[in-house]
Amino acid sequence: MTDNVERVHFDPPSGAEDTWWGRYAAELGQMTSTARGALRTDCAYIVERGLLGAGSPDVATWPQSRTRTGLVMGSVQSGKTASMFGVTALALDHGIDIVVILAGTRLSLWRQTYERMVEQLDAGEEGVAKARRRLLCPAPGVVLGGASGTLDGTYRLPSAQVRRKLTQKQPLIVVAMKQTDHLYALGRELRQSVFGEVAQLDRAVHMLVLDDEADDGSVLDAVVEQSLSPLSPALKQVPRAIADLWEPRSSGAPDNLFATYIGYTATPQANLLQEDHNPLAPRDFVISLRTPLDVGIPAQPADPNAPRSSTYPEPNGINSYYTGGEVYYARGAKAGLCLELAGEPDDDLADSIRAFLIAGAIRLHWASTNTPALMGPHSIRGVDFALRDDVRAVSPPTQSMLIHPSADIGAHFATAEDVLVWAGAPDRAAARNLLTSGNAQLPLDLIAKMRSEEALWEIWIDRYQASSTAIATEFNVMNPRPVPTWPTVRAILEAEVIPGTRVSVVNSDAEADDRPEYKPIFDEAAQRWRAAPDLSTIFVSGNVMARGLTLEGMTTALFRRTSANPFADTQMQMQRWFGYRGEYIELCRVFATRQQIELFGAYHDVDEALRQGIAARMAGDAPSPVVLHGMSFLATGKIANVGRVPLCPGAKPFITLINGGQTPDPNERLVAELFAEPSVDVSVGRATRGRALDRTLSLSEAADLLDSFSFESYAPGNDSRLAELWQQVRARVDATLTLPPGTRFYNAPNPTSGTASDARFECPYAIAAYLRLWEASLTRAVPGLFVTGVPSGRWALADLSAKQLHQPRFSVGIRYGDGESITDGALAGLGFNIRATRKALNAGGDLDTTWGSNDPNAGPLDYRGDEFFDYYHRGEVLPATARTTPWRPQGSHGQILFYINKRPRQPHPVVAVGVCIPAGGPEQFAATRAGSLIAA
């Protein structure tokens, strides 16, 4: 019997047992017990629900393709690699035969991941014991030792060893670079040396493929590809090459080979939006990882269907928190973690560097207070040590700054030269020579510069002290870390930080540095150890740094990059300041334009919405997660022709649905019952334009009224894609703050016979759903929602008390026409004469015209139009005709206006309705593409 109960050990096993997980867990000493428990729980969930979600490989329970595909969403620099290795460890303990880890599209990422895998997952000294338990490809010397050779040699898997390992149920582990030549070389080796051995076995063989940064190179856009020749070099080869690892199109995989593909990414928008018939699309499962903070649902033993949140409480406090978008753009706002650029490039550059250097001095002071033997980044340079542990024992905390000027490689070198010239390099040529030498230390002239402008430096002491107080207040820190005085900081700057800081360009240029180096270096000639080169470094980079590479000890970012058409997934990956920086978060700063900071905050908002949607899906409480655009950006640029579906039906939706009039219209009775209450005529000039109800309706009353409408030819039910969208929204609102049991926003009637109608965006039920969402959102800071009529307005940052105070009420009216008077039926006995309208119908039976009497030049005694009917009723001044927006102002009344329509030779009158909605309500923009919603 399978145990489907989710389990977390707050004090997990020490890792001493001889299992893959035990050995891996023993290498996670820096994690708190709570974090290790949450990691174990999430890894077990991925293995049980994803990897083994269809049971052990079997043709009876697995898809016909013998392949399952899924996706794991993490956060930027939050520990996705730790999860990936944890899943690998548990999978190996479950007897998985072959594991392929796709480790980045660049050599630096491949080596970084391979190095971590060898140190953590495959830990221990190289020797017989390690060789017996697995076959590792490539060998460590090939990847880490820089040995040259062919790619076929790199991925060599000797058939005899493969046969022996598979027969003994010992795994093959491959760490491959996600690049076509590497993938094709690995694919050839699998076909030549592995698949034949697999075919000889009398059992199923299970291959697990883990794709790190799965949105980078692994997305296939079918719309683009359909227009290309099969021989076109523009066809994306990486997704095909990955799929060919288990399903080569040329020769076919063995019938007993089963494969599970799991993509890992922090930005899954493109993966979710790609067509689901593409080989790597997540067809079978989507899972979200959790991060530690001071809020959320605890990671503890629970039913698999129990609620999950994107964060879990970490009792060890702020030093162990993940500091992502919630900290930088919401809760850290009062601490000034994000600073708007002043607009003077030279001044902005100077101020950001001063912030970085002073933060480094403060951190060094803190560390030295606790460990007096520590050396600084300058004094440790040039000192050699007998043992690596000796270097580590006295090395200072790592300090990193990132300057991201643009995607242009030339701009990276020019910006690095700017830094060195500002710091005292004689000219740009001298600065460039320093960069080319690979040893671009800050000139010592900067010390004299600092002394001449001390006020500009000393002000950061006050700023960091204010930040420390604000962070302590926000995160309930009992004893805020004290910021040292300026004289103390100045002495550290002069002695260690300024002379110990270097400038490094990291990009794809041949003259740039390869990657940051944070580990001690072994000098082969001297047989001695030296300190890591990047103990205090200002990195200038672009796209290379925006994908996978980690900046340790990062405190400061200067982000100058701009885009006319920003994409959320691309710019989320650029935010390398995210991570586990709680130990010094008060010293962190992001310098960017106001517009860019607002974009970053909005990206985080829709990211959190997607994460909540996935969590709700994992708990079985929602349909597939919905990818969201923002008001001023798209979710991704990796997929062509992505559409936008709003929630709000617009400023003045008019419902063209109408009954046929051959039988009495049930909606006529709804109007009659409502207008049995007190009402008055609405006259403009000398003409009576209609009738208005004395009272107004609340959001929920207006929604109830619209939900009461019924149509003889329209019953979409609650199984449409529109209904799924509203279920997802409801789940996200519920995750923010629990809704009353049974609450539904969208309540479309089911067909009494036959098939359901195609769901319409502009129908009474969709408008009613929006009004119910508005009411629910008045007490909830729901992520992923924006504010209608407010550029860049995020609902999560709105003043909800003000929203409650200014929530709309809806006036209700009947607009008279120039047709015959209604003399029979439910409306005939109301005590006032209703003249029917005679709106035309189209061939489909819908209204062919909507709002009437539109006259923008109407004078004070004239009638401007039906959308202003309620203004005339209340005697209010009409909005100016020169408005640039169709929205009624925030805080205004809404309007529901009925038309009693009766065409010539139509036996019975029928009811039509238009709605006016004020600005200030919630809005989201779902990205649409076939396959964007994952099948259950």
PDB file of all heavy atoms in Angstrom, residues 625-636:
ATOM      1  N   PRO A 625      -2.873  26.013 -13.182  1.00  0.00           N
ATOM      2  CA  PRO A 625      -2.451  27.391 -12.912  1.00  0.00           C
ATOM      3  C   PRO A 625      -2.514  28.267 -14.143  1.00  0.00           C
ATOM      4  O   PRO A 625      -2.308  27.809 -15.275  1.00  0.00           O
ATOM      5  CB  PRO A 625      -1.008  27.220 -12.430  1.00  0.00           C
ATOM      6  CG  PRO A 625      -0.565  25.920 -13.001  1.00  0.00           C
ATOM      7  CD  PRO A 625      -1.783  25.047 -13.020  1.00  0.00           C
ATOM      8  N   VAL A 626      -2.808  29.534 -13.920  1.00  0.00           N
ATOM      9  CA  VAL A 626      -2.954  30.499 -15.001  1.00  0.00           C
ATOM     10  C   VAL A 626      -1.761  31.448 -14.988  1.00  0.00           C
ATOM     11  O   VAL A 626      -1.399  31.999 -13.949  1.00  0.00           O
ATOM     12  CB  VAL A 626      -4.267  31.302 -14.848  1.00  0.00           C
ATOM     13  CG1 VAL A 626      -4.352  32.414 -15.876  1.00  0.00           C
ATOM     14  CG2 VAL A 626      -5.463  30.364 -14.972  1.00  0.00           C
ATOM     15  N   VAL A 627      -1.154  31.616 -16.149  1.00  0.00           N
ATOM     16  CA  VAL A 627      -0.048  32.562 -16.303  1.00  0.00           C
ATOM     17  C   VAL A 627      -0.636  33.952 -16.515  1.00  0.00           C
ATOM     18  O   VAL A 627      -1.613  34.118 -17.254  1.00  0.00           O
ATOM     19  CB  VAL A 627       0.834  32.167 -17.502  1.00  0.00           C
ATOM     20  CG1 VAL A 627       1.913  33.209 -17.750  1.00  0.00           C
ATOM     21  CG2 VAL A 627       1.452  30.799 -17.264  1.00  0.00           C
ATOM     22  N   LEU A 628      -0.048  34.961 -15.885  1.00  0.00           N
ATOM     23  CA  LEU A 628      -0.596  36.310 -15.934  1.00  0.00           C
ATOM     24  C   LEU A 628       0.369  37.290 -16.598  1.00  0.00           C
ATOM     25  O   LEU A 628       1.583  37.217 -16.397  1.00  0.00           O
ATOM     26  CB  LEU A 628      -0.915  36.820 -14.529  1.00  0.00           C
ATOM     27  CG  LEU A 628      -1.947  36.026 -13.722  1.00  0.00           C
ATOM     28  CD1 LEU A 628      -2.113  36.627 -12.347  1.00  0.00           C
ATOM     29  CD2 LEU A 628      -3.282  35.967 -14.450  1.00  0.00           C
ATOM     30  N   HIS A 629      -0.189  38.193 -17.386  1.00  0.00           N
ATOM     31  CA  HIS A 629       0.513  39.389 -17.828  1.00  0.00           C
ATOM     32  C   HIS A 629       0.289  40.484 -16.776  1.00  0.00           C
ATOM     33  O   HIS A 629      -0.496  40.324 -15.846  1.00  0.00           O
ATOM     34  CB  HIS A 629      -0.047  39.908 -19.159  1.00  0.00           C
ATOM     35  CG  HIS A 629       0.091  38.966 -20.303  1.00  0.00           C
ATOM     36  ND1 HIS A 629       1.296  38.465 -20.730  1.00  0.00           N
ATOM     37  CD2 HIS A 629      -0.836  38.449 -21.150  1.00  0.00           C
ATOM     38  CE1 HIS A 629       1.107  37.689 -21.782  1.00  0.00           C
ATOM     39  NE2 HIS A 629      -0.174  37.654 -22.043  1.00  0.00           N
ATOM     40  N   GLY A 630       0.970  41.599 -16.955  1.00  0.00           N
ATOM     41  CA  GLY A 630       0.696  42.778 -16.160  1.00  0.00           C
ATOM     42  C   GLY A 630       0.064  43.851 -17.017  1.00  0.00           C
ATOM     43  O   GLY A 630      -0.169  43.664 -18.218  1.00  0.00           O
ATOM     44  N   MET A 631      -0.220  45.003 -16.423  1.00  0.00           N
ATOM     45  CA  MET A 631      -0.822  46.097 -17.168  1.00  0.00           C
ATOM     46  C   MET A 631       0.147  46.670 -18.185  1.00  0.00           C
ATOM     47  O   MET A 631      -0.265  47.176 -19.228  1.00  0.00           O
ATOM     48  CB  MET A 631      -1.283  47.194 -16.204  1.00  0.00           C
ATOM     49  CG  MET A 631      -2.402  46.762 -15.279  1.00  0.00           C
ATOM     50  SD  MET A 631      -3.018  48.102 -14.229  1.00  0.00           S
ATOM     51  CE  MET A 631      -3.957  49.058 -15.415  1.00  0.00           C
ATOM     52  N   SER A 632       1.463  46.598 -17.886  1.00  0.00           N
ATOM     53  CA  SER A 632       2.453  47.227 -18.764  1.00  0.00           C
ATOM     54  C   SER A 632       3.547  46.264 -19.206  1.00  0.00           C
ATOM     55  O   SER A 632       4.602  46.688 -19.631  1.00  0.00           O
ATOM     56  CB  SER A 632       3.086  48.428 -18.053  1.00  0.00           C
ATOM     57  OG  SER A 632       3.632  48.033 -16.799  1.00  0.00           O
ATOM     58  N   PHE A 633       3.298  44.972 -19.101  1.00  0.00           N
ATOM     59  CA  PHE A 633       4.291  43.998 -19.534  1.00  0.00           C
ATOM     60  C   PHE A 633       3.605  42.677 -19.869  1.00  0.00           C
ATOM     61  O   PHE A 633       2.470  42.419 -19.454  1.00  0.00           O
ATOM     62  CB  PHE A 633       5.344  43.772 -18.450  1.00  0.00           C
ATOM     63  CG  PHE A 633       4.784  43.241 -17.152  1.00  0.00           C
ATOM     64  CD1 PHE A 633       4.625  41.883 -16.931  1.00  0.00           C
ATOM     65  CD2 PHE A 633       4.410  44.106 -16.138  1.00  0.00           C
ATOM     66  CE1 PHE A 633       4.102  41.396 -15.746  1.00  0.00           C
ATOM     67  CE2 PHE A 633       3.898  43.634 -14.946  1.00  0.00           C
ATOM     68  CZ  PHE A 633       3.736  42.269 -14.755  1.00  0.00           C
ATOM     69  N   LEU A 634       4.320  41.859 -20.652  1.00  0.00           N
ATOM     70  CA  LEU A 634       3.841  40.527 -20.988  1.00  0.00           C
ATOM     71  C   LEU A 634       4.568  39.495 -20.130  1.00  0.00           C
ATOM     72  O   LEU A 634       5.659  39.741 -19.632  1.00  0.00           O
ATOM     73  CB  LEU A 634       4.064  40.230 -22.470  1.00  0.00           C
ATOM     74  CG  LEU A 634       3.294  41.111 -23.459  1.00  0.00           C
ATOM     75  CD1 LEU A 634       3.638  40.712 -24.889  1.00  0.00           C
ATOM     76  CD2 LEU A 634       1.794  41.001 -23.229  1.00  0.00           C
ATOM     77  N   ALA A 635       3.951  38.331 -20.001  1.00  0.00           N
ATOM     78  CA  ALA A 635       4.531  37.287 -19.171  1.00  0.00           C
ATOM     79  C   ALA A 635       5.829  36.759 -19.763  1.00  0.00           C
ATOM     80  O   ALA A 635       6.779  36.466 -19.049  1.00  0.00           O
ATOM     81  CB  ALA A 635       3.528  36.148 -18.979  1.00  0.00           C
ATOM     82  N   THR A 636       5.886  36.618 -21.083  1.00  0.00           N
ATOM     83  CA  THR A 636       7.052  36.039 -21.730  1.00  0.00           C
ATOM     84  C   THR A 636       7.134  36.481 -23.180  1.00  0.00           C
ATOM     85  O   THR A 636       6.110  36.812 -23.791  1.00  0.00           O
ATOM     86  CB  THR A 636       7.013  34.496 -21.664  1.00  0.00           C
ATOM     87  OG1 THR A 636       8.188  33.962 -22.275  1.00  0.00           O
ATOM     88  CG2 THR A 636       5.786  33.944 -22.376  1.00  0.00           C
TER      89      THR A 636
END
